[in-house]
Amino acid sequence: DPQLQTKLEQPYVEINIPFYLALGNHDYAGCTDCYIQFAESHPKWHFPHRYYKQDFDAVSFFIIDTENFDTDQQHWLADKLAQSQKKWNIVLGHRPIVSQEITKDSEKWEGLEELRSIVCSSADMYISGHAHLLEERSQESNCSARFLVSGSGGSIVRKIIQPFTGEFYAEKNGFLSVTTDKDRAVYSFVDVSGKILHETSIPSE
């Protein structure tokens, strides 16, 4: 697919850091297994399975497939989170659990409530795309996780539905940066000029 060149390889050709892929709704229009084959022959791109775990010093990332969040994957995510020895546990999936982006506000998808339950009981953050803006939801009662949306990295930005009931939103192109160590986690929403629009530090308990 030429889009692997125009949307993955070419824009980031001079950036020599690893990229960890997650499947989204548009990927299911074609061959999802082809991403595994692509990653096997392109070392910068990592995609060993449609859902997988990636560990770093103080954090574990759990990359999931929200297009097919079946019971096998639900059990895998719940078990891996329960077994994690890392200070910070962050789940990444394409579809948001909640968003007020104009086309995603009332969107329901299979596995949504099961994912909410798993994330709220065991994760520190759930980071998604799909909604074409930057957004932080208000933390839900009886939920350990922060819900963050970073869906405007290279997309046409959409509007938020008012009145907004979350912590932050920006109808701008930009990205989300997360840094962690044993003492704290910091997440920052950044626009295309490099300006930090919103930043939160979570101290270690």
Side-chain angles (χ1 to χ4, degrees):
D1 191 328
Q3 292 188 77
L4 288 173
Q5 295 292 321
T6 59
K7 293 184 176 179
L8 289 182
E9 291 205 273
Q10 292 172 5
Y12 306 107
V13 66
E14 296 182 0
I15 301 177
N16 294 313
I17 60 174
F19 285 73
Y20 300 90
L21 305 182
L23 291 173
N25 54 312
H26 292 286
D27 300 312
Y28 269 82
C31 167
T32 54
D33 287 344
C34 292
Y35 286 95
I36 297 175
Q37 299 167 26
F38 173 76
E40 287 174 346
S41 58
H42 295 73
K44 184 163 72 173
W45 304 92
H46 297 261
F47 190 67
H49 193 267
R50 67 182 183 89
Y51 53 91
Y52 58 100
K53 176 173 172 276
Q54 182 64 46
D55 290 328
F56 295 97
D57 289 344
V59 60
S60 285
F61 289 101
F62 303 83
I63 296 93
I64 64 170
D65 177 7
T66 55
E67 302 311 299
N68 185 18
F69 194 61
D70 54 21
T71 54
D72 286 346
Q73 189 180 176
Q74 292 167 25
H75 293 153
W76 172 86
L77 180 59
D79 290 345
K80 292 297 184 183
L81 281 166
Q83 296 166 14
S84 177
Q85 299 298 309
K86 298 294 185 180
K87 175 57 195 170
W88 306 101
N89 295 289
I90 300 175
V91 180
L92 299 104
H94 182 67
R95 291 181 185 265
I97 290 174
V98 59
S99 172
Q100 280 183 239
E101 192 253 76
I102 193 168
T103 68
K104 304 297 184 289
D105 178 60
S106 58
E107 185 175 76
K108 303 296 181 186
W109 46 274
E110 190 171 351
L112 169 62
E113 292 307 322
E114 290 82 358
L115 178 59
R116 185 196 301 270
S117 177
I118 296 168
V119 165
C120 279
S121 65
S122 304
D124 297 292
M125 300 179 201
Y126 176 70
I127 300 174
S128 63
H130 195 53
H132 290 196
L133 41 61
L134 303 172
E135 183 180 9
E136 178 181 1
R137 303 302 309 162
S138 297
Q139 195 162 6
E140 297 184 1
S141 59
N142 301 315
C143 184
S144 64
R146 314 288 178 109
F147 294 152
L148 310 174
V149 178
S150 178
S152 59
S155 63
I156 297 171
V157 179
R158 298 194 182 114
K159 296 292 185 181
I160 203 85
I161 290 179
Q162 298 290 353
F164 180 63
T165 59
E167 293 294 323
F168 162 82
Y169 76 92
E171 296 163 337
K172 292 183 175 184
N173 289 111
F175 63 93
L176 176 68
S177 170
V178 179
T179 59
T180 62
D181 59 32
K182 62 182 179 61
D183 297 318
R184 66 175 185 161
V186 179
Y187 54 89
S188 310
F189 290 92
V190 185
D191 71 11
V192 292
S193 71
K195 179 183 177 182
I196 295 176
L197 304 174
H198 175 72
E199 185 171 80
T200 301
S201 176
I202 309 173
S204 175
E205 294 180 357

